Coordinates of all heavy atoms in Angstrom, one line a residue:
M1 N 0.8 -1.2 0.1 CA 0.0 0.0 0.0 C 0.9 1.3 0.0 O 1.8 1.4 0.7 CB -0.9 0.0 1.2 CG -2.3 0.7 1.0 SD -3.4 0.5 2.4 CE -2.9 2.0 3.2
K2 N 0.5 2.3 -0.8 CA 1.2 3.5 -0.9 C 1.0 4.3 0.3 O -0.1 4.4 0.8 CB 0.8 4.2 -2.1 CG 2.0 4.4 -3.1 CD 1.5 4.8 -4.5 CE 1.7 6.3 -4.8 NZ 1.0 6.6 -6.1
H3 N 2.0 5.0 0.8 CA 1.8 5.9 1.9 C 1.2 7.3 1.4 O 1.9 7.9 0.6 CB 3.1 6.1 2.6 CG 2.9 6.7 4.0 ND1 2.4 6.0 5.0 CD2 3.2 7.9 4.5 CE1 2.3 6.7 6.1 NE2 2.8 7.9 5.8
S4 N 0.1 7.6 2.0 CA -0.5 8.9 1.4 C -1.2 9.7 2.6 O -1.4 9.1 3.6 CB -1.5 8.6 0.4 OG -2.4 7.6 0.9
C5 N -1.4 10.8 2.3 CA -2.1 11.8 3.2 C -3.4 11.2 3.6 O -4.2 10.8 2.8 CB -2.2 13.1 2.6 SG -3.2 14.3 3.6
Q6 N -3.7 11.3 5.0 CA -4.8 10.7 5.5 C -6.2 11.5 5.0 O -7.2 11.0 5.1 CB -4.8 10.7 7.0 CG -3.8 9.7 7.6 CD -4.3 8.3 7.4 OE1 -5.3 7.8 7.8 NE2 -3.5 7.5 6.6
N7 N -5.9 12.7 4.6 CA -7.0 13.5 4.3 C -7.2 13.6 2.8 O -8.3 13.4 2.3 CB -6.7 15.0 4.8 CG -8.0 15.8 4.6 OD1 -9.1 15.5 5.0 ND2 -7.8 17.0 3.9
C8 N -6.1 13.9 2.0 CA -6.4 14.1 0.5 C -5.8 13.0 -0.4 O -5.9 13.1 -1.6 CB -5.9 15.4 0.2 SG -4.1 15.5 0.2
S9 N -5.1 12.1 0.3 CA -4.6 10.9 -0.3 C -3.4 11.2 -1.4 O -3.0 10.4 -2.1 CB -5.7 10.2 -1.2 OG -6.7 9.7 -0.4
K10 N -2.9 12.3 -1.2 CA -1.6 12.8 -2.0 C -0.4 11.9 -1.4 O -0.4 11.7 -0.2 CB -1.3 14.3 -1.7 CG -0.5 14.9 -2.7 CD -0.7 16.4 -2.6 CE 0.6 16.9 -1.9 NZ 0.6 18.4 -1.8
P11 N 0.5 11.3 -2.3 CA 1.6 10.6 -1.7 C 2.6 11.4 -0.8 O 2.8 12.6 -1.2 CB 2.3 10.1 -3.1 CG 1.3 10.3 -4.1 CD 0.4 11.5 -3.7
I12 N 2.9 10.9 0.3 CA 3.8 11.7 1.2 C 4.9 10.7 1.8 O 4.7 9.6 1.7 CB 3.0 12.3 2.4 CG1 2.1 11.3 3.0 CG2 2.2 13.6 1.9 CD1 1.5 11.7 4.3
P13 N 5.9 11.4 2.4 CA 6.9 10.5 3.0 C 6.4 9.6 4.1 O 5.5 10.0 4.8 CB 8.0 11.5 3.5 CG 7.6 12.8 2.9 CD 6.1 12.8 2.5
L14 N 7.1 8.5 4.3 CA 6.6 7.6 5.3 C 6.6 8.2 6.7 O 5.7 7.7 7.5 CB 7.5 6.3 5.4 CG 7.3 5.2 4.4 CD1 8.3 4.2 4.4 CD2 5.9 4.5 4.9
T15 N 7.4 9.1 7.0 CA 7.4 9.7 8.4 C 6.3 10.6 8.6 O 6.0 11.1 9.7 CB 8.7 10.6 8.4 OG1 8.8 11.4 7.4 CG2 10.0 9.6 8.6
K16 N 5.5 11.0 7.6 CA 4.4 12.0 7.8 C 3.0 11.2 7.7 O 2.9 10.1 7.2 CB 4.4 13.0 6.7 CG 5.5 13.9 6.8 CD 5.4 15.1 5.9 CE 6.2 16.3 6.2 NZ 5.9 17.4 5.2
V17 N 2.0 11.9 8.3 CA 0.7 11.4 8.3 C -0.2 12.2 7.3 O -1.1 11.7 6.6 CB 0.1 11.3 9.7 CG1 -1.3 10.7 9.6 CG2 0.9 10.4 10.6
F18 N 0.1 13.5 7.3 CA -0.7 14.5 6.5 C 0.3 15.2 5.6 O 1.5 15.4 6.0 CB -1.4 15.5 7.3 CG -2.5 14.8 8.3 CD1 -2.1 14.5 9.5 CD2 -3.7 14.3 7.7 CE1 -3.1 13.9 10.4 CE2 -4.5 13.6 8.5 CZ -4.3 13.4 9.9
C19 N -0.2 15.7 4.5 CA 0.8 16.4 3.5 C 0.8 17.9 3.9 O 2.0 18.5 3.7 CB 0.2 16.4 2.1 SG -1.2 17.4 1.8
S20 N 0.0 18.4 4.7 CA 0.1 19.8 5.2 C -0.7 20.0 6.4 O -1.5 19.2 6.9 CB -0.5 20.7 4.1 OG -1.9 20.6 4.0
K21 N -0.5 21.2 7.1 CA -1.1 21.4 8.3 C -2.6 21.7 8.1 O -3.4 21.2 8.9 CB -0.5 22.8 8.8 CG -0.9 23.2 10.2 CD -0.1 24.4 10.7 CE -0.7 25.0 11.9 NZ -1.8 25.9 11.6
D22 N -2.9 22.2 6.9 CA -4.4 22.3 6.5 C -5.1 21.0 6.5 O -6.2 20.9 6.9 CB -4.5 23.1 5.1 CG -4.3 24.5 5.3 OD1 -4.1 25.0 6.5 OD2 -4.2 25.3 4.2
C23 N -4.4 20.1 5.8 CA -5.0 18.7 5.7 C -5.2 18.1 7.0 O -6.2 17.4 7.4 CB -4.2 17.8 4.8 SG -4.6 17.8 3.1
K24 N -4.3 18.3 8.0 CA -4.4 17.8 9.3 C -5.6 18.3 10.0 O -6.3 17.6 10.6 CB -3.0 18.0 10.1 CG -3.0 17.4 11.4 CD -1.7 17.8 12.2 CE -1.8 17.1 13.6 NZ -0.6 17.6 14.3
E25 N -5.7 19.7 10.0 CA -6.8 20.4 10.5 C -8.1 19.9 10.0 O -9.1 19.6 10.7 CB -6.7 21.8 10.3 CG -6.2 22.5 11.6 CD -5.8 24.0 11.3 OE1 -6.5 24.7 10.6 OE2 -4.8 24.4 11.9
A26 N -8.2 19.7 8.7 CA -9.4 19.3 7.9 C -9.7 18.0 8.4 O -11.0 17.6 8.7 CB -9.2 19.3 6.4
F27 N -8.8 17.0 8.5 CA -9.1 15.7 8.9 C -9.7 15.6 10.2 O -10.7 14.9 10.5 CB -7.8 14.9 8.9 CG -7.9 13.4 9.2 CD1 -8.5 12.5 8.3 CD2 -7.6 12.9 10.5 CE1 -8.5 11.2 8.6 CE2 -7.7 11.7 10.8 CZ -8.2 10.7 9.9
F28 N -9.2 16.4 11.3 CA -9.7 16.3 12.5 C -11.0 17.0 12.7 O -11.9 16.7 13.5 CB -8.6 16.8 13.6 CG -7.5 15.7 13.8 CD1 -6.3 15.9 13.2 CD2 -7.9 14.6 14.4 CE1 -5.3 15.0 13.4 CE2 -6.9 13.6 14.6 CZ -5.6 13.7 14.1
Q29 N -11.2 18.1 11.9 CA -12.5 18.8 11.9 C -13.6 17.8 11.4 O -14.7 17.8 11.9 CB -12.5 20.1 11.0 CG -11.8 21.2 11.9 CD -12.1 22.6 11.3 OE1 -13.2 22.8 10.7 NE2 -11.3 23.5 11.6
K30 N -13.2 17.2 10.3 CA -14.1 16.2 9.8 C -14.7 15.2 10.8 O -15.8 14.8 10.8 CB -13.6 15.4 8.6 CG -13.8 16.2 7.3 CD -13.3 15.2 6.1 CE -12.7 16.1 5.0 NZ -11.9 15.3 4.1
I31 N -13.8 14.8 11.6 CA -14.1 13.9 12.7 C -15.0 14.5 13.8 O -16.0 14.0 14.4 CB -13.0 13.2 13.2 CG1 -12.3 12.3 12.3 CG2 -13.3 12.4 14.6 CD1 -10.9 11.8 12.6
A32 N -14.5 15.7 14.1 CA -15.2 16.6 15.3 C -16.5 17.0 14.8 O -17.5 17.1 15.8 CB -14.2 17.7 15.7
I33 N -16.8 17.4 13.6 CA -18.0 18.1 13.3 C -19.1 17.1 13.2 O -19.1 16.0 12.6 CB -17.9 18.7 11.9 CG1 -16.9 19.9 11.9 CG2 -19.3 19.2 11.4 CD1 -16.5 20.5 10.5
S34 N -20.2 17.4 14.0 CA -21.4 16.5 13.9 C -22.5 17.6 13.5 O -22.7 18.6 14.0 CB -21.6 15.7 15.1 OG -22.0 16.6 16.2
I35 N -23.4 17.0 12.6 CA -24.4 17.8 12.0 C -25.9 17.2 12.7 O -26.1 16.1 12.3 CB -24.5 17.8 10.5 CG1 -23.1 18.1 9.9 CG2 -25.6 18.7 10.0 CD1 -22.5 19.4 10.2
P36 N -26.5 18.1 13.4 CA -27.8 17.5 13.9 C -28.8 17.3 12.9 O -28.9 18.2 11.9 CB -28.3 18.7 14.9 CG -27.1 19.7 14.9 CD -26.2 19.4 13.8
K37 N -29.5 16.3 12.9 CA -30.5 15.9 11.9 C -31.5 16.9 11.7 O -31.9 17.3 10.6 CB -31.2 14.5 12.3 CG -32.0 13.9 11.1 CD -32.5 12.5 11.5 CE -33.3 12.1 10.4 NZ -33.8 10.7 10.6
P38 N -32.1 17.6 12.8 CA -33.0 18.6 12.6 C -32.6 19.9 11.8 O -33.3 20.5 11.0 CB -33.4 19.1 14.0 CG -33.1 17.9 14.9 CD -31.9 17.2 14.2
F39 N -31.2 20.1 12.0 CA -30.6 21.2 11.2 C -30.6 20.9 9.8 O -31.0 21.8 9.0 CB -29.3 21.4 11.8 CG -28.4 22.5 11.2 CD1 -28.8 23.8 11.3 CD2 -27.2 22.3 10.5 CE1 -28.2 24.9 10.7 CE2 -26.5 23.3 9.9 CZ -27.0 24.6 10.1
V40 N -30.3 19.7 9.4 CA -30.2 19.2 8.0 C -31.6 19.4 7.5 O -31.9 19.9 6.3 CB -29.7 17.8 7.9 CG1 -29.7 17.3 6.4 CG2 -28.3 17.7 8.4
K41 N -32.5 18.9 8.2 CA -34.0 19.0 7.7 C -34.4 20.4 7.4 O -35.0 20.7 6.4 CB -34.8 18.4 8.8 CG -36.3 18.1 8.3 CD -37.1 17.4 9.3 CE -38.5 17.2 8.9 NZ -39.4 16.7 10.0
R42 N -34.0 21.2 8.4 CA -34.5 22.6 8.2 C -33.9 23.3 6.9 O -34.4 23.9 6.2 CB -34.0 23.4 9.5 CG -34.5 24.8 9.5 CD -34.7 25.3 10.9 NE -33.6 25.1 11.8 CZ -32.5 26.0 11.9 NH1 -32.6 27.2 11.4 NH2 -31.5 25.6 12.7
L43 N -32.5 22.9 6.7 CA -31.8 23.5 5.7 C -32.4 23.1 4.3 O -32.5 23.9 3.4 CB -30.3 23.1 5.7 CG -29.4 23.7 6.7 CD1 -28.0 23.1 6.6 CD2 -29.4 25.2 6.6
Y44 N -32.6 21.9 4.2 CA -33.0 21.3 2.9 C -34.5 21.5 2.6 O -34.9 21.5 1.4 CB -32.6 19.9 2.7 CG -31.3 19.7 2.5 CD1 -30.2 19.6 3.3 CD2 -30.9 19.6 1.0 CE1 -28.9 19.5 3.0 CE2 -29.6 19.5 0.7 CZ -28.5 19.5 1.7 OH -27.3 19.3 1.3
F45 N -35.4 21.6 3.7 CA -36.9 21.5 3.5 C -37.5 22.9 3.8 O -38.6 23.1 3.2 CB -37.5 20.5 4.2 CG -37.1 19.1 3.8 CD1 -36.1 18.3 4.6 CD2 -37.4 18.5 2.6 CE1 -35.7 17.1 4.2 CE2 -37.0 17.2 2.2 CZ -36.1 16.6 3.0
F46 N -36.9 23.7 4.5 CA -37.5 24.9 4.9 C -36.8 26.3 4.6 O -37.3 27.3 4.8 CB -37.9 24.9 6.4 CG -38.7 23.8 6.8 CD1 -38.2 22.6 7.4 CD2 -40.1 23.7 6.4 CE1 -39.0 21.6 7.7 CE2 -40.9 22.7 6.9 CZ -40.3 21.5 7.5
C47 N -35.6 26.1 4.0 CA -34.8 27.2 3.7 C -34.7 27.5 2.2 O -34.6 26.5 1.5 CB -33.3 27.1 4.3 SG -33.3 27.3 6.1
S48 N -34.6 28.7 1.8 CA -34.2 29.1 0.4 C -32.7 28.9 0.3 O -32.0 28.7 1.4 CB -34.6 30.4 0.1 OG -33.8 31.3 1.0
E49 N -32.2 28.9 -0.9 CA -30.7 28.7 -1.1 C -30.0 29.8 -0.3 O -28.9 29.5 0.4 CB -30.4 28.9 -2.5 CG -30.5 27.5 -3.3 CD -29.7 26.4 -2.8 OE1 -28.5 26.6 -2.5 OE2 -30.2 25.4 -2.4
E50 N -30.6 31.0 -0.4 CA -29.8 32.1 0.4 C -29.9 31.9 1.9 O -28.9 32.1 2.6 CB -30.6 33.4 0.0 CG -29.8 34.7 0.2 CD -30.7 35.9 -0.3 OE1 -31.0 36.0 -1.4 OE2 -30.9 36.7 0.7
E51 N -31.0 31.5 2.4 CA -31.1 31.2 3.9 C -30.1 30.1 4.3 O -29.6 30.1 5.3 CB -32.6 30.8 4.3 CG -33.4 32.1 4.3 CD -34.9 31.7 4.3 OE1 -35.2 30.5 4.0 OE2 -35.7 32.5 4.6
K52 N -30.1 29.1 3.4 CA -29.3 27.9 3.6 C -27.8 28.3 3.8 O -27.2 27.9 4.8 CB -29.4 26.9 2.5 CG -29.1 25.6 2.7 CD -29.5 24.6 1.6 CE -28.3 23.6 1.2 NZ -28.6 22.9 0.0
E53 N -27.3 29.1 2.9 CA -26.0 29.6 3.0 C -25.7 30.3 4.3 O -24.7 30.1 4.9 CB -25.7 30.6 1.8 CG -25.4 30.0 0.4 CD -24.2 29.2 0.4 OE1 -23.1 29.7 0.9 OE2 -24.1 28.0 -0.1
K54 N -26.7 31.2 4.7 CA -26.6 31.9 5.8 C -26.5 31.1 7.1 O -25.6 31.3 8.0 CB -27.7 33.0 5.9 CG -27.3 34.2 6.5 CD -28.4 35.2 6.6 CE -28.6 36.0 7.8 NZ -29.9 36.6 8.1
E55 N -27.4 30.1 7.1 CA -27.5 29.2 8.3 C -26.1 28.4 8.4 O -25.6 28.2 9.5 CB -28.6 28.1 8.1 CG -30.0 28.8 8.2 CD -30.4 28.9 9.7 OE1 -29.8 28.2 10.5 OE2 -31.4 29.6 9.9
I56 N -25.7 27.9 7.3 CA -24.4 27.2 7.3 C -23.2 28.0 7.7 O -22.4 27.6 8.6 CB -24.1 26.5 5.9 CG1 -25.2 25.5 5.5 CG2 -22.7 25.9 5.9 CD1 -25.1 25.0 4.1
F57 N -23.3 29.2 7.2 CA -22.2 30.2 7.6 C -22.2 30.4 9.2 O -21.2 30.4 9.9 CB -22.4 31.5 6.9 CG -21.4 32.6 7.3 CD1 -20.2 32.6 6.7 CD2 -21.7 33.5 8.2 CE1 -19.2 33.5 7.1 CE2 -20.8 34.6 8.6 CZ -19.5 34.5 8.0
N58 N -23.4 30.6 9.7 CA -23.5 31.0 11.1 C -23.1 29.7 11.9 O -22.5 29.8 13.1 CB -25.0 31.3 11.4 CG -25.2 32.8 11.0 OD1 -24.3 33.6 10.8 ND2 -26.5 33.0 10.7
F59 N -23.6 28.5 11.5 CA -23.3 27.3 12.2 C -21.8 27.1 12.3 O -21.2 26.7 13.3 CB -24.0 26.1 11.5 CG -23.8 24.8 12.1 CD1 -24.5 24.4 13.2 CD2 -22.9 23.9 11.5 CE1 -24.4 23.2 13.7 CE2 -22.9 22.6 12.1 CZ -23.5 22.3 13.3
A60 N -21.1 27.2 11.1 CA -19.7 27.0 11.1 C -19.0 28.2 12.0 O -18.1 27.6 12.7 CB -19.2 27.1 9.7
K61 N -19.5 29.3 11.9 CA -18.8 30.3 12.7 C -19.0 30.1 14.2 O -18.1 30.2 15.0 CB -19.5 31.7 12.3 CG -18.6 32.8 12.7 CD -19.3 34.1 12.1 CE -18.8 35.3 12.9 NZ -19.6 36.4 12.9
R62 N -20.2 29.6 14.6 CA -20.5 29.4 16.0 C -19.6 28.3 16.6 O -19.2 28.4 17.8 CB -21.9 29.0 16.1 CG -22.4 29.0 17.6 CD -24.0 28.9 17.6 NE -24.6 27.8 17.0 CZ -25.5 27.8 16.2 NH1 -26.0 28.8 15.7 NH2 -26.0 26.7 15.7
H63 N -19.3 27.4 15.8 CA -18.4 26.2 16.3 C -16.9 26.4 15.9 O -16.1 25.7 16.2 CB -18.8 25.0 15.8 CG -20.3 24.6 16.4 ND1 -20.4 24.1 17.6 CD2 -21.5 24.7 15.8 CE1 -21.8 23.8 17.7 NE2 -22.4 24.2 16.6
N64 N -16.6 27.5 15.2 CA -15.3 27.9 14.7 C -14.7 26.7 13.8 O -13.7 26.3 14.0 CB -14.4 28.1 15.9 CG -13.2 28.9 15.6 OD1 -13.1 29.6 14.5 ND2 -12.2 28.9 16.4
W65 N -15.6 26.3 12.9 CA -15.3 25.2 12.0 C -15.1 25.8 10.5 O -15.7 26.9 10.3 CB -16.4 24.1 12.0 CG -16.3 23.3 13.2 CD1 -15.3 23.0 13.9 CD2 -17.5 22.6 13.7 NE1 -15.7 22.2 15.0 CE2 -17.0 21.9 14.9 CE3 -18.8 22.4 13.4 CZ2 -17.8 21.1 15.7 CZ3 -19.6 21.7 14.2 CH2 -19.1 21.1 15.2
N66 N -14.4 25.1 9.6 CA -14.2 25.5 8.4 C -15.5 25.3 7.6 O -16.1 24.2 7.5 CB -13.2 24.7 7.8 CG -12.8 24.9 6.4 OD1 -13.7 25.1 5.5 ND2 -11.6 25.2 6.0
K67 N -16.0 26.3 7.0 CA -17.3 26.2 6.3 C -17.4 25.2 5.2 O -18.4 24.6 5.0 CB -17.7 27.7 5.7 CG -19.1 27.8 5.3 CD -19.3 29.2 4.8 CE -20.6 29.1 3.9 NZ -20.4 29.8 2.6
K68 N -16.3 25.2 4.4 CA -16.2 24.2 3.3 C -16.4 22.7 3.8 O -17.2 21.9 3.3 CB -14.9 24.3 2.6 CG -14.8 23.5 1.3 CD -13.5 23.9 0.6 CE -13.1 22.7 -0.3 NZ -12.3 21.7 0.4
I69 N -15.8 22.4 5.0 CA -15.9 21.1 5.6 C -17.2 20.9 6.1 O -17.9 19.8 6.0 CB -14.8 20.8 6.7 CG1 -13.4 21.1 6.1 CG2 -14.9 19.5 7.3 CD1 -12.3 21.0 7.1
V70 N -17.9 22.0 6.8 CA -19.2 21.9 7.4 C -20.2 21.5 6.2 O -21.0 20.7 6.3 CB -19.6 23.2 8.0 CG1 -21.0 23.2 8.3 CG2 -18.8 23.3 9.3
K71 N -19.9 22.2 5.1 CA -20.9 22.0 3.9 C -20.8 20.5 3.4 O -21.8 20.0 3.1 CB -20.5 22.9 2.7 CG -21.3 24.2 2.7 CD -20.9 24.9 1.5 CE -22.2 25.5 0.9 NZ -22.0 26.4 -0.2
E72 N -19.6 20.0 3.4 CA -19.4 18.6 2.9 C -20.1 17.6 3.9 O -20.8 16.8 3.5 CB -17.9 18.2 2.9 CG -17.1 18.7 1.7 CD -15.6 18.5 1.8 OE1 -15.2 17.6 2.6 OE2 -15.0 19.3 1.1
K73 N -20.0 18.0 5.2 CA -20.6 17.1 6.2 C -22.2 17.2 6.2 O -22.8 16.2 6.4 CB -20.1 17.6 7.6 CG -18.7 17.2 7.9 CD -18.4 15.7 8.2 CE -18.9 15.3 9.5 NZ -18.4 14.2 10.0
I74 N -22.7 18.4 5.8 CA -24.1 18.5 5.7 C -24.7 17.8 4.5 O -25.7 17.1 4.6 CB -24.5 20.1 5.6 CG1 -24.3 20.7 7.1 CG2 -26.0 20.2 5.1 CD1 -24.4 22.2 7.0
E75 N -23.9 17.8 3.5 CA -24.3 17.0 2.3 C -24.3 15.5 2.6 O -25.2 14.7 2.2 CB -23.4 17.3 1.1 CG -23.9 18.5 0.3 CD -22.9 19.1 -0.7 OE1 -22.2 18.2 -1.3 OE2 -22.9 20.2 -0.9
E76 N -23.3 15.1 3.4 CA -23.1 13.7 3.7 C -24.3 13.3 4.6 O -24.8 12.3 4.4 CB -21.8 13.6 4.6 CG -20.8 12.8 3.9 CD -19.5 12.8 4.8 OE1 -19.5 12.5 6.0 OE2 -18.4 13.1 4.2
A77 N -24.5 14.2 5.5 CA -25.6 13.9 6.4 C -27.0 13.8 5.8 O -27.8 13.0 6.0 CB -25.7 15.0 7.6
Y78 N -27.2 14.7 4.8 CA -28.4 14.6 4.1 C -28.5 13.4 3.2 O -29.6 12.8 3.3 CB -28.5 15.9 3.1 CG -29.6 15.9 2.1 CD1 -30.9 16.2 2.7 CD2 -29.5 15.5 0.8 CE1 -31.9 16.2 1.8 CE2 -30.6 15.5 0.0 CZ -31.8 15.9 0.5 OH -32.9 15.8 -0.4
N79 N -27.4 13.0 2.6 CA -27.6 11.8 1.8 C -27.8 10.5 2.8 O -28.6 9.6 2.4 CB -26.2 11.5 1.1 CG -26.0 12.4 0.0 OD1 -27.0 12.9 -0.6 ND2 -24.8 12.8 -0.3
L80 N -27.2 10.6 4.0 CA -27.4 9.5 4.9 C -28.8 9.5 5.5 O -29.4 8.4 5.5 CB -26.4 9.8 6.1 CG -26.3 8.7 7.1 CD1 -25.6 7.4 6.5 CD2 -25.5 9.3 8.4
Y81 N -29.4 10.6 5.7 CA -30.8 10.7 6.5 C -31.8 10.6 5.4 O -32.8 10.0 5.7 CB -30.8 12.0 7.3 CG -29.9 12.1 8.4 CD1 -29.4 13.4 8.7 CD2 -29.6 11.0 9.1 CE1 -28.5 13.5 9.8 CE2 -28.7 11.2 10.2 CZ -28.2 12.5 10.6 OH -27.4 12.6 11.6
Y82 N -31.7 11.2 4.3 CA -32.8 11.4 3.5 C -32.7 10.8 2.0 O -33.8 10.4 1.5 CB -33.2 12.9 3.3 CG -33.5 13.5 4.6 CD1 -32.6 14.4 5.1 CD2 -34.7 13.3 5.2 CE1 -32.9 14.9 6.4 CE2 -34.9 13.8 6.5 CZ -34.1 14.6 7.1 OH -34.4 15.2 8.3
E83 N -31.5 10.6 1.5 CA -31.5 10.1 0.1 C -31.5 8.6 0.1 O -32.1 7.9 -0.7 CB -30.3 10.5 -0.6 CG -30.2 12.0 -0.8 CD -30.5 12.4 -2.2 OE1 -29.7 12.3 -3.1 OE2 -31.7 12.9 -2.4
C84 N -31.0 8.0 1.1 CA -30.8 6.4 1.1 C -31.9 5.8 2.1 O -31.9 4.7 2.3 CB -29.4 6.1 1.6 SG -28.1 6.8 0.7
A85 N -32.8 6.7 2.5 CA -33.9 6.1 3.5 C -34.8 5.3 2.8 O -35.0 5.5 1.5 CB -34.5 7.3 4.3
Ligands
ZN101 ZN1 -3.3 16.2 2.2

């Protein structure tokens, strides 16, 4: 197996786990971030696109999380809760 960054899968030296500090942060944020189901429901069923953006922004800001990662997690959560149900 090739040794690669735990976050983005870029090949890296054996002594490293992540290719960059950003990747390390992103990886641990992805684990730490949890998206409440009612929040996902509200975003997808009761918000306009504009409201959705705003809600996600506030949510990320409140927890001091990266908005891009929060968005990914929300999409993941939505797929998990509503698409595959
Ligand atoms: Zn990486």
